[in-house]
Every structure is written in structure tokens, then in C-alpha cells.
Amino acid sequence: MKVLLSHDAIQGRIREMGRQIAADYAGHELHVVGVLKGACAFMTDLCRAIDIPLTMDYIAVSSYGAATKSSGEVKLVKDLDQGLEGRDLLVVEDIVDTGLTLNYLMNVLRARGPRSLKIAALLSKPSRRLVEIPVDYVGFTIDDLFVVGYGLDYNEKYRNLKDIVVYGSEG
Ligand code: IMP
Ligand code: MG
């Protein structure tokens, strides 16, 4: 499959993002929430690139399926371990596609009273967006391609690839 973003390119961009996030949150205690499972690789690399004190937690969601797809309603498969009240929250997601999942998740998290709430996404496909979603830190903006690797899956496969590749492409 064709490499869209090499492991080195991903790591270079994550170092830049980490520096920016560390600067933006200097003097604050950052709480980082990763969305399982796709964001796992990005989450661990990004957090190691953010050189300020931070805490980490994880949430897992799954979509309810085709019937409720347009609502973007998601089921919380695993909730957070820690509360969010008064905290500076950064949500880390693998990719923002239609934006429906993240839109729903942000409403759930906002209701728990964080002091601030920002989003970091490794990838964004703006041409696919159905709902406006403010992504504060974007790794790479990509075209309307289905990609796998570096945490991203197709039917739970390919998450372990080091690069991000275009699913099904030749070469
Ligand atoms: P959204 O609700 O349409 O923004 O969907 C976001 C979720 O769809 C992401 O967290 C991914 O799990 C999945 N997704 C969207 N595009 C891709 C892709 O190109 N490759 C793998 N997963 C994707
Ligand atoms: Mg996913």
C-alpha cells in the first residue's frame, strides 16, 4: 500500500505539535484524554513530546451503526477514570472525518465542567465534514482517502503499521 505519511514525517510533526502545546499550556496542569483505540499511538508519542507536567486518561466510543449515523450518537464503551471538573482538557483523536463522533463526544465532556477544552487530531479530512468542529491542533490535513496504520484501522487491522498508508492502494 502507498505510504501517505512516513513514520519519520509523523514523528517530526508530533515534535512540533508537542512544543506548541507545551508553550500554550505553560503554567497549567494539562489533562490529556485519548480516544481509544485509534488515537493510542498518537497519544503516547504526542504526550512524550509535551514537556510539561500532564496527566492522561482514556475513553472508548463506538458508533451505534448506520441507523443513527447522521446523529453521530456514540456509545461510551469505556468511560474516563478521572473527573474533569475545573481541568484543562485536551482531547486527542486519530482523525476527524465527518466530525460527528467528536462533536458528540465534546458535548459529553463539556457537560462535566472542564475549565478549558481543546482538541488535537493527527489527521483531518475537511472535505468530509458534516458538522463544524474546532480542531485546535491538526497534524496533517489530508484528501478524502481511507488511510490505515499508526493506530488507524480497517476492520481492526493495520493499527501496528509504522507509516500511514492509503488503504487498498498499489505499491
Ligand atoms: P467521524 O465521526 O466521521 O469524524 O469519524 C471519526 C472516526 O472514523 C475516526 O475516529 C476513525 O475511527 C474513523 N475513520 C474516519 N476516517 C478514517 C480513515 O481514513 N481510516 C481509518 N479510520 C477512519
Ligand atoms: Mg476509530
PDB file of all heavy atoms in Angstrom, residues 9-34:
ATOM      1  N   ALA A   9       8.048  11.420   9.093  1.00  0.00           N
ATOM      2  CA  ALA A   9       7.262  12.646   8.896  1.00  0.00           C
ATOM      3  C   ALA A   9       6.272  12.823  10.050  1.00  0.00           C
ATOM      4  O   ALA A   9       6.086  13.928  10.563  1.00  0.00           O
ATOM      5  CB  ALA A   9       6.520  12.588   7.562  1.00  0.00           C
ATOM      6  N   ILE A  10       5.655  11.716  10.462  1.00  0.00           N
ATOM      7  CA  ILE A  10       4.700  11.765  11.575  1.00  0.00           C
ATOM      8  C   ILE A  10       5.412  12.215  12.849  1.00  0.00           C
ATOM      9  O   ILE A  10       4.939  13.117  13.559  1.00  0.00           O
ATOM     10  CB  ILE A  10       4.040  10.381  11.792  1.00  0.00           C
ATOM     11  CG1 ILE A  10       3.205   9.983  10.563  1.00  0.00           C
ATOM     12  CG2 ILE A  10       3.171  10.379  13.042  1.00  0.00           C
ATOM     13  CD1 ILE A  10       2.800   8.511  10.537  1.00  0.00           C
ATOM     14  N   GLN A  11       6.560  11.602  13.121  1.00  0.00           N
ATOM     15  CA  GLN A  11       7.287  11.938  14.354  1.00  0.00           C
ATOM     16  C   GLN A  11       7.757  13.389  14.355  1.00  0.00           C
ATOM     17  O   GLN A  11       7.716  14.069  15.383  1.00  0.00           O
ATOM     18  CB  GLN A  11       8.484  10.993  14.553  1.00  0.00           C
ATOM     19  CG  GLN A  11       8.097   9.536  14.786  1.00  0.00           C
ATOM     20  CD  GLN A  11       7.139   9.349  15.965  1.00  0.00           C
ATOM     21  OE1 GLN A  11       7.301   9.958  17.020  1.00  0.00           O
ATOM     22  NE2 GLN A  11       6.132   8.515  15.788  1.00  0.00           N
ATOM     23  N   GLY A  12       8.196  13.870  13.195  1.00  0.00           N
ATOM     24  CA  GLY A  12       8.634  15.272  13.094  1.00  0.00           C
ATOM     25  C   GLY A  12       7.505  16.229  13.395  1.00  0.00           C
ATOM     26  O   GLY A  12       7.673  17.207  14.132  1.00  0.00           O
ATOM     27  N   ARG A  13       6.349  15.956  12.840  1.00  0.00           N
ATOM     28  CA  ARG A  13       5.176  16.824  13.057  1.00  0.00           C
ATOM     29  C   ARG A  13       4.719  16.759  14.518  1.00  0.00           C
ATOM     30  O   ARG A  13       4.315  17.762  15.091  1.00  0.00           O
ATOM     31  CB  ARG A  13       4.045  16.394  12.107  1.00  0.00           C
ATOM     32  CG  ARG A  13       2.791  17.241  12.213  1.00  0.00           C
ATOM     33  CD  ARG A  13       3.004  18.664  11.700  1.00  0.00           C
ATOM     34  NE  ARG A  13       1.825  19.476  11.957  1.00  0.00           N
ATOM     35  CZ  ARG A  13       1.801  20.541  12.764  1.00  0.00           C
ATOM     36  NH1 ARG A  13       2.919  20.939  13.372  1.00  0.00           N
ATOM     37  NH2 ARG A  13       0.691  21.213  12.952  1.00  0.00           N
ATOM     38  N   ILE A  14       4.782  15.561  15.104  1.00  0.00           N
ATOM     39  CA  ILE A  14       4.361  15.417  16.504  1.00  0.00           C
ATOM     40  C   ILE A  14       5.290  16.209  17.423  1.00  0.00           C
ATOM     41  O   ILE A  14       4.828  16.828  18.389  1.00  0.00           O
ATOM     42  CB  ILE A  14       4.293  13.926  16.902  1.00  0.00           C
ATOM     43  CG1 ILE A  14       3.094  13.269  16.209  1.00  0.00           C
ATOM     44  CG2 ILE A  14       4.177  13.764  18.415  1.00  0.00           C
ATOM     45  CD1 ILE A  14       2.990  11.774  16.402  1.00  0.00           C
ATOM     46  N   ARG A  15       6.580  16.229  17.120  1.00  0.00           N
ATOM     47  CA  ARG A  15       7.500  17.028  17.934  1.00  0.00           C
ATOM     48  C   ARG A  15       7.109  18.503  17.891  1.00  0.00           C
ATOM     49  O   ARG A  15       7.123  19.195  18.913  1.00  0.00           O
ATOM     50  CB  ARG A  15       8.952  16.830  17.462  1.00  0.00           C
ATOM     51  CG  ARG A  15       9.600  15.584  18.077  1.00  0.00           C
ATOM     52  CD  ARG A  15      11.105  15.574  17.856  1.00  0.00           C
ATOM     53  NE  ARG A  15      11.465  15.446  16.441  1.00  0.00           N
ATOM     54  CZ  ARG A  15      11.555  14.274  15.800  1.00  0.00           C
ATOM     55  NH1 ARG A  15      11.341  13.137  16.444  1.00  0.00           N
ATOM     56  NH2 ARG A  15      11.883  14.234  14.524  1.00  0.00           N
ATOM     57  N   GLU A  16       6.743  18.993  16.687  1.00  0.00           N
ATOM     58  CA  GLU A  16       6.304  20.393  16.558  1.00  0.00           C
ATOM     59  C   GLU A  16       5.023  20.642  17.353  1.00  0.00           C
ATOM     60  O   GLU A  16       4.897  21.650  18.045  1.00  0.00           O
ATOM     61  CB  GLU A  16       6.020  20.734  15.094  1.00  0.00           C
ATOM     62  CG  GLU A  16       7.232  20.774  14.193  1.00  0.00           C
ATOM     63  CD  GLU A  16       6.841  21.026  12.722  1.00  0.00           C
ATOM     64  OE1 GLU A  16       5.623  21.140  12.413  1.00  0.00           O
ATOM     65  OE2 GLU A  16       7.758  21.099  11.897  1.00  0.00           O
ATOM     66  N   MET A  17       4.074  19.721  17.218  1.00  0.00           N
ATOM     67  CA  MET A  17       2.803  19.878  17.935  1.00  0.00           C
ATOM     68  C   MET A  17       3.038  19.886  19.441  1.00  0.00           C
ATOM     69  O   MET A  17       2.439  20.681  20.176  1.00  0.00           O
ATOM     70  CB  MET A  17       1.833  18.740  17.574  1.00  0.00           C
ATOM     71  CG  MET A  17       1.386  18.750  16.120  1.00  0.00           C
ATOM     72  SD  MET A  17       0.368  17.315  15.720  1.00  0.00           S
ATOM     73  CE  MET A  17      -1.245  17.855  16.300  1.00  0.00           C
ATOM     74  N   GLY A  18       3.898  18.990  19.899  1.00  0.00           N
ATOM     75  CA  GLY A  18       4.204  18.901  21.329  1.00  0.00           C
ATOM     76  C   GLY A  18       4.807  20.188  21.864  1.00  0.00           C
ATOM     77  O   GLY A  18       4.432  20.664  22.940  1.00  0.00           O
ATOM     78  N   ARG A  19       5.714  20.769  21.099  1.00  0.00           N
ATOM     79  CA  ARG A  19       6.328  22.042  21.509  1.00  0.00           C
ATOM     80  C   ARG A  19       5.278  23.135  21.607  1.00  0.00           C
ATOM     81  O   ARG A  19       5.269  23.929  22.553  1.00  0.00           O
ATOM     82  CB  ARG A  19       7.419  22.454  20.509  1.00  0.00           C
ATOM     83  CG  ARG A  19       8.791  21.888  20.853  1.00  0.00           C
ATOM     84  CD  ARG A  19       9.901  22.636  20.118  1.00  0.00           C
ATOM     85  NE  ARG A  19       9.818  22.468  18.657  1.00  0.00           N
ATOM     86  CZ  ARG A  19      10.371  21.467  17.988  1.00  0.00           C
ATOM     87  NH1 ARG A  19      11.041  20.527  18.627  1.00  0.00           N
ATOM     88  NH2 ARG A  19      10.259  21.383  16.681  1.00  0.00           N
ATOM     89  N   GLN A  20       4.386  23.182  20.623  1.00  0.00           N
ATOM     90  CA  GLN A  20       3.349  24.218  20.614  1.00  0.00           C
ATOM     91  C   GLN A  20       2.390  24.052  21.791  1.00  0.00           C
ATOM     92  O   GLN A  20       2.041  25.015  22.477  1.00  0.00           O
ATOM     93  CB  GLN A  20       2.574  24.196  19.298  1.00  0.00           C
ATOM     94  CG  GLN A  20       1.753  25.464  19.097  1.00  0.00           C
ATOM     95  CD  GLN A  20       0.722  25.349  17.985  1.00  0.00           C
ATOM     96  OE1 GLN A  20       0.888  24.555  17.055  1.00  0.00           O
ATOM     97  NE2 GLN A  20      -0.341  26.135  18.077  1.00  0.00           N
ATOM     98  N   ILE A  21       1.983  22.820  22.036  1.00  0.00           N
ATOM     99  CA  ILE A  21       1.045  22.548  23.128  1.00  0.00           C
ATOM    100  C   ILE A  21       1.703  22.880  24.473  1.00  0.00           C
ATOM    101  O   ILE A  21       1.084  23.512  25.336  1.00  0.00           O
ATOM    102  CB  ILE A  21       0.559  21.082  23.074  1.00  0.00           C
ATOM    103  CG1 ILE A  21      -0.334  20.889  21.834  1.00  0.00           C
ATOM    104  CG2 ILE A  21      -0.208  20.706  24.341  1.00  0.00           C
ATOM    105  CD1 ILE A  21      -0.633  19.432  21.479  1.00  0.00           C
ATOM    106  N   ALA A  22       2.957  22.503  24.636  1.00  0.00           N
ATOM    107  CA  ALA A  22       3.679  22.803  25.882  1.00  0.00           C
ATOM    108  C   ALA A  22       3.744  24.301  26.104  1.00  0.00           C
ATOM    109  O   ALA A  22       3.569  24.789  27.234  1.00  0.00           O
ATOM    110  CB  ALA A  22       5.079  22.202  25.834  1.00  0.00           C
ATOM    111  N   ALA A  23       3.989  25.058  25.046  1.00  0.00           N
ATOM    112  CA  ALA A  23       4.057  26.520  25.164  1.00  0.00           C
ATOM    113  C   ALA A  23       2.682  27.089  25.509  1.00  0.00           C
ATOM    114  O   ALA A  23       2.562  27.964  26.380  1.00  0.00           O
ATOM    115  CB  ALA A  23       4.576  27.130  23.861  1.00  0.00           C
ATOM    116  N   ASP A  24       1.643  26.592  24.853  1.00  0.00           N
ATOM    117  CA  ASP A  24       0.280  27.111  25.083  1.00  0.00           C
ATOM    118  C   ASP A  24      -0.220  26.832  26.495  1.00  0.00           C
ATOM    119  O   ASP A  24      -1.025  27.592  27.028  1.00  0.00           O
ATOM    120  CB  ASP A  24      -0.701  26.499  24.073  1.00  0.00           C
ATOM    121  CG  ASP A  24      -0.455  26.997  22.651  1.00  0.00           C
ATOM    122  OD1 ASP A  24       0.372  27.919  22.481  1.00  0.00           O
ATOM    123  OD2 ASP A  24      -1.073  26.447  21.716  1.00  0.00           O
ATOM    124  N   TYR A  25       0.215  25.721  27.086  1.00  0.00           N
ATOM    125  CA  TYR A  25      -0.283  25.326  28.411  1.00  0.00           C
ATOM    126  C   TYR A  25       0.746  25.569  29.517  1.00  0.00           C
ATOM    127  O   TYR A  25       0.577  25.057  30.618  1.00  0.00           O
ATOM    128  CB  TYR A  25      -0.693  23.855  28.414  1.00  0.00           C
ATOM    129  CG  TYR A  25      -2.001  23.582  27.699  1.00  0.00           C
ATOM    130  CD1 TYR A  25      -2.012  23.227  26.353  1.00  0.00           C
ATOM    131  CD2 TYR A  25      -3.222  23.666  28.361  1.00  0.00           C
ATOM    132  CE1 TYR A  25      -3.203  22.961  25.684  1.00  0.00           C
ATOM    133  CE2 TYR A  25      -4.418  23.411  27.706  1.00  0.00           C
ATOM    134  CZ  TYR A  25      -4.397  23.057  26.375  1.00  0.00           C
ATOM    135  OH  TYR A  25      -5.577  22.807  25.721  1.00  0.00           O
ATOM    136  N   ALA A  26       1.794  26.319  29.220  1.00  0.00           N
ATOM    137  CA  ALA A  26       2.828  26.581  30.225  1.00  0.00           C
ATOM    138  C   ALA A  26       2.177  27.163  31.476  1.00  0.00           C
ATOM    139  O   ALA A  26       1.362  28.079  31.388  1.00  0.00           O
ATOM    140  CB  ALA A  26       3.871  27.533  29.658  1.00  0.00           C
ATOM    141  N   GLY A  27       2.513  26.611  32.627  1.00  0.00           N
ATOM    142  CA  GLY A  27       1.946  27.099  33.884  1.00  0.00           C
ATOM    143  C   GLY A  27       0.623  26.469  34.252  1.00  0.00           C
ATOM    144  O   GLY A  27       0.082  26.738  35.323  1.00  0.00           O
ATOM    145  N   HIS A  28       0.087  25.634  33.362  1.00  0.00           N
ATOM    146  CA  HIS A  28      -1.176  24.942  33.645  1.00  0.00           C
ATOM    147  C   HIS A  28      -0.909  23.449  33.819  1.00  0.00           C
ATOM    148  O   HIS A  28       0.089  22.936  33.332  1.00  0.00           O
ATOM    149  CB  HIS A  28      -2.176  25.138  32.500  1.00  0.00           C
ATOM    150  CG  HIS A  28      -2.615  26.549  32.326  1.00  0.00           C
ATOM    151  ND1 HIS A  28      -3.782  27.026  32.848  1.00  0.00           N
ATOM    152  CD2 HIS A  28      -2.013  27.596  31.699  1.00  0.00           C
ATOM    153  CE1 HIS A  28      -3.897  28.314  32.551  1.00  0.00           C
ATOM    154  NE2 HIS A  28      -2.832  28.689  31.846  1.00  0.00           N
ATOM    155  N   GLU A  29      -1.827  22.787  34.493  1.00  0.00           N
ATOM    156  CA  GLU A  29      -1.736  21.333  34.582  1.00  0.00           C
ATOM    157  C   GLU A  29      -2.643  20.723  33.542  1.00  0.00           C
ATOM    158  O   GLU A  29      -3.861  20.742  33.664  1.00  0.00           O
ATOM    159  CB  GLU A  29      -2.118  20.855  35.983  1.00  0.00           C
ATOM    160  CG  GLU A  29      -0.906  20.705  36.868  1.00  0.00           C
ATOM    161  CD  GLU A  29      -1.219  19.983  38.165  1.00  0.00           C
ATOM    162  OE1 GLU A  29      -1.989  19.004  38.152  1.00  0.00           O
ATOM    163  OE2 GLU A  29      -0.687  20.433  39.187  1.00  0.00           O
ATOM    164  N   LEU A  30      -2.017  20.189  32.528  1.00  0.00           N
ATOM    165  CA  LEU A  30      -2.757  19.672  31.380  1.00  0.00           C
ATOM    166  C   LEU A  30      -3.280  18.259  31.649  1.00  0.00           C
ATOM    167  O   LEU A  30      -2.557  17.411  32.185  1.00  0.00           O
ATOM    168  CB  LEU A  30      -1.812  19.679  30.174  1.00  0.00           C
ATOM    169  CG  LEU A  30      -2.330  19.147  28.838  1.00  0.00           C
ATOM    170  CD1 LEU A  30      -3.554  19.911  28.373  1.00  0.00           C
ATOM    171  CD2 LEU A  30      -1.209  19.245  27.800  1.00  0.00           C
ATOM    172  N   HIS A  31      -4.546  18.035  31.275  1.00  0.00           N
ATOM    173  CA  HIS A  31      -5.123  16.693  31.370  1.00  0.00           C
ATOM    174  C   HIS A  31      -5.458  16.223  29.951  1.00  0.00           C
ATOM    175  O   HIS A  31      -6.271  16.835  29.267  1.00  0.00           O
ATOM    176  CB  HIS A  31      -6.378  16.720  32.242  1.00  0.00           C
ATOM    177  CG  HIS A  31      -6.947  15.361  32.514  1.00  0.00           C
ATOM    178  ND1 HIS A  31      -6.188  14.332  33.041  1.00  0.00           N
ATOM    179  CD2 HIS A  31      -8.196  14.849  32.341  1.00  0.00           C
ATOM    180  CE1 HIS A  31      -6.955  13.254  33.175  1.00  0.00           C
ATOM    181  NE2 HIS A  31      -8.169  13.540  32.750  1.00  0.00           N
ATOM    182  N   VAL A  32      -4.820  15.144  29.529  1.00  0.00           N
ATOM    183  CA  VAL A  32      -4.949  14.684  28.156  1.00  0.00           C
ATOM    184  C   VAL A  32      -5.812  13.423  28.113  1.00  0.00           C
ATOM    185  O   VAL A  32      -5.560  12.460  28.841  1.00  0.00           O
ATOM    186  CB  VAL A  32      -3.560  14.390  27.535  1.00  0.00           C
ATOM    187  CG1 VAL A  32      -3.691  14.153  26.039  1.00  0.00           C
ATOM    188  CG2 VAL A  32      -2.595  15.539  27.802  1.00  0.00           C
ATOM    189  N   VAL A  33      -6.838  13.460  27.269  1.00  0.00           N
ATOM    190  CA  VAL A  33      -7.738  12.314  27.126  1.00  0.00           C
ATOM    191  C   VAL A  33      -7.618  11.745  25.712  1.00  0.00           C
ATOM    192  O   VAL A  33      -7.887  12.445  24.728  1.00  0.00           O
ATOM    193  CB  VAL A  33      -9.200  12.716  27.419  1.00  0.00           C
ATOM    194  CG1 VAL A  33     -10.178  11.660  26.895  1.00  0.00           C
ATOM    195  CG2 VAL A  33      -9.410  12.904  28.920  1.00  0.00           C
ATOM    196  N   GLY A  34      -7.216  10.497  25.616  1.00  0.00           N
ATOM    197  CA  GLY A  34      -7.083   9.827  24.321  1.00  0.00           C
ATOM    198  C   GLY A  34      -8.333   9.030  23.999  1.00  0.00           C
ATOM    199  O   GLY A  34      -8.909   8.390  24.881  1.00  0.00           O
TER     200      GLY A  34
END
